[in-house]
Amino acid sequence: MANDNSSRWMPTASGVLNIISSILGFFTSLILFITAPVFSYVYNNYPESIEGTSEALSLVATICVIVGIVLVIPCVVSLIGGIFAIKRKRWGWALAGSICSALVSNVFGIVAIVFVAMSKKEFTS
């Protein structure tokens, strides 16, 4: 009986970690989306400030947007998985959210994966 009650907190903790990770990822994406126009502004208004940097600034702005878009996808899955983990439903989604959480935030994600994996019996389909 003690083993059954000892893992009751793990899905909730995993869900909270997934949600925190997704919020951090969304915040990082937002920073990247805000940074890209700054680089574009500098590229368009000060092209001759330092020779050879205008192309680099344009490339950096493009990379910021691409990385920001790519980062949003695991954040959404992590958020959905965190919600399912807190509700203790759909173990597969909770595990997928934890794996995506590990892509966004290594420490939170790894701990969330362990908690979801150890508490599979707590989930209903």
Side-chain angles (χ1 to χ4, degrees):
M1 274 305 187
N3 288 340
D4 292 336
N5 291 331
S6 65
S7 67
R8 297 267 318 152
W9 58 271
M10 286 187 196
T12 304
S14 170
V16 169
L17 289 172
N18 285 348
I19 291 170
I20 290 171
S21 176
S22 66
I23 290 170
L24 291 174
F26 284 130
F27 184 70
T28 303
S29 293
L30 181 65
I31 289 173
L32 289 170
F33 290 138
I34 291 172
T35 304
V38 171
F39 286 120
S40 293
Y41 175 80
V42 172
Y43 168 71
N44 291 327
N45 292 322
Y46 303 102
E48 62 277 332
S49 60
I50 301 174
E51 201 168 308
T53 59
S54 61
E55 293 83 18
L57 289 174
S58 176
L59 180 64
V60 168
T62 304
I63 290 172
C64 284
V65 170
I66 291 170
V67 170
I69 291 170
V70 169
L71 185 61
V72 167
I73 296 166
C75 290
V76 169
V77 176
S78 178
L79 182 64
I80 292 169
I83 292 169
F84 281 129
I86 290 173
K87 290 182 175 183
R88 290 178 173 81
K89 294 186 178 186
R90 300 193 183 199
W91 180 81
W93 269 103
L95 184 62
S98 297
I99 292 169
C100 287
S101 178
L103 297 174
V104 176
S105 171
N106 291 338
V107 176
F108 291 154
I110 292 170
V111 173
I113 290 170
V114 171
F115 286 168
V116 167
M118 289 178 64
S119 63
K120 183 177 181 180
K121 294 176 185 175
E122 295 288 325
F123 287 83
T124 60
S125 49

